[in-house]
Amino acid sequence: MMRLTSAALLFFVTRTLASPTHNTFGIRCPVLFDGRVPQSMTPADFDKNSSIFDHQFVHGENQTWAEIIKFPRVPQSLFDIPKNAKPVEVTINNQSIFLPGGDPPMPQFGFRRSELIPATNNGTDITVQGTTTFHWSIRNDPARPLNFSHEYHPAWHETADFSTSEITFLTGKPFNQSFDPTVHDPKTLRLAGRQSNSPEITFFQTPFEFDVWHNFAVTLGWTSNELTVYYSKDLAPLKRVAGPTFNDNSGGGQFHAGVFKLPTGPLGIDVLHEGFQEAPIDEGLIFGGIFIEDSSHGCVTTFPV
């Protein structure tokens, strides 16, 4: 059971009773970043400085986006349709080992990871000011299935100092079941709050049904510490499924979307550098409808306009 401090409980009750439902249908909200992929874009374009996503981060050392990005033949997602955008698949393999900065640099042998970061999202930009909503749609690739004995983070918002995340979107078996005690089926999609909470607070979860689009939107109030979650499948309008509720949204930072795979192993290991990853690895997740909008005045896009 989720336990809240008295201050958080007061916040929750007050916001639940006083806040309007932030659910805007048929109104065009201001878009701060548009990551819906044009039909003309190629995998090699993701490596260019002109890419809509960061052309350098995050992928394995000596890898290129041209090797990682795929364009599967699947239907467009809900929010790709009005832009005539195409779904994009992010993949991982044995070489998906990230080399972060540091002296000396320490390859993250525990993880396998490939993630798209909005090119304009530098950690303190307009997407982490006021109130913003992060949209994405996700589906499986039957040709590159995940191994659900591992924990995966297909999306999250990492603080600017890289110390934690305000939200984490997960699937797979939790590496630490006591840290995520509400998960009983690894084939679920779940949206959790601040990662440094122990146990993690899971605000919403749903079965990871295959071969359909799962559409998500998460509204974060950067000063109000408010979180709201929206969800739908395929072409259905988004509906509010959690919140508005309290979440510690401090820290700014960047939005990630891709495949971040934790190792398996005993509790207490250094998951950045230790643990087991099977080989060979050929896994992927398909994304669509990635964009960030300004919701400072309560505007949230729940259906294309």
Side-chain angles (χ1 to χ4, degrees):
M1 177 180 290
M2 183 180 75
R3 294 182 178 177
L4 299 175
T5 65
S6 57
L9 181 60
L10 177 61
F11 176 96
F12 175 80
V13 173
T14 302
R15 296 303 297 175
T16 301
L17 294 176
S19 293
T21 300
H22 300 317
N23 190 5
T24 306
F25 191 94
I27 297 176
R28 194 180 301 276
C29 307
V31 174
L32 304 175
F33 166 78
D34 200 334
R36 288 168 285 192
V37 177
Q39 294 287 342
S40 60
M41 199 166 180
T42 69
D45 288 333
F46 286 74
D47 291 306
K48 297 177 181 178
N49 189 51
S50 59
S51 173
I52 55 178
F53 294 100
D54 193 308
H55 68 289
Q56 296 178 301
F57 300 107
V58 177
H59 55 60
E61 184 185 11
N62 300 321
Q63 284 190 315
T64 65
W65 287 114
E67 299 169 318
I68 297 166
I69 295 297
K70 313 294 180 187
F71 294 121
R73 300 186 67 177
V74 296
Q76 291 172 303
S77 70
L78 175 66
F79 291 108
D80 281 331
I81 293 173
K83 301 284 290 190
N84 192 28
K86 60 183 178 181
V88 57
E89 181 171 7
V90 182
T91 67
I92 56 172
N93 57 36
N94 298 349
Q95 286 72 51
S96 302
I97 300 172
F98 179 57
L99 180 66
D103 187 19
M106 298 280 289
Q108 294 180 349
F109 289 113
F111 301 144
R112 299 295 180 268
R113 58 186 302 191
S114 302
E115 304 125 35
L116 297 170
I117 298 175
T120 56
N121 185 194
N122 64 15
T124 58
D125 62 283
I126 195 170
T127 66
V128 291
Q129 299 176 28
T131 300
T132 52
T133 299
F134 297 81
H135 286 261
W136 69 91
S137 297
I138 190 170
R139 63 187 291 151
N140 70 300
D141 179 0
R144 296 183 178 85
L146 304 185
N147 181 340
F148 285 91
S149 66
H150 290 254
E151 178 179 314
Y152 294 84
H153 300 179
W156 71 96
H157 199 284
E158 186 175 30
T159 56
D161 64 4
F162 310 115
S163 65
T164 187
S165 300
E166 291 96 348
I167 57 168
T168 308
F169 178 59
L170 310 96
T171 193
K173 181 179 178 180
F175 179 81
N176 184 345
Q177 185 69 46
S178 66
F179 194 66
D180 204 352
T182 66
V183 179
H184 305 293
D185 182 354
K187 292 182 181 178
T188 60
L189 298 169
R190 48 198 187 268
L191 194 289
R194 197 169 187 89
Q195 193 177 37
S196 53
N197 289 337
S198 182
E200 215 164 48
I201 300 173
T202 300
F203 291 105
F204 174 72
Q205 58 181 296
T206 189
F208 192 173
E209 183 180 345
F210 290 168
D211 303 321
V212 300
W213 281 110
H214 298 267
N215 310 306
F216 286 85
V218 179
T219 301
L220 296 177
W222 296 105
T223 56
S224 68
N225 287 320
E226 184 174 283
L227 174 148
T228 308
V229 184
Y230 302 84
Y231 170 75
S232 73
K233 288 196 295 187
D234 279 335
L235 301 182
L238 290 171
K239 292 185 178 180
R240 183 165 59 94
V241 292
T245 188
F246 175 82
N247 187 61
D248 183 355
N249 296 332
S250 61
Q254 294 174 309
F255 179 70
H256 297 239
V259 186
F260 179 98
K261 182 181 182 181
L262 275 68
T264 58
L267 295 180
I269 65 170
D270 175 7
V271 293
L272 273 73
H273 307 109
E274 300 176 328
F276 174 74
Q277 293 279 0
E278 68 283 349
I281 296 174
D282 183 19
E283 302 175 9
L285 285 169
I286 304 169
F287 289 85
I290 296 175
F291 66 100
I292 306 170
E293 64 190 357
D294 182 0
S295 297
S296 296
H297 300 289
C299 190
V300 176
T301 302
T302 58
F303 195 75
V305 293

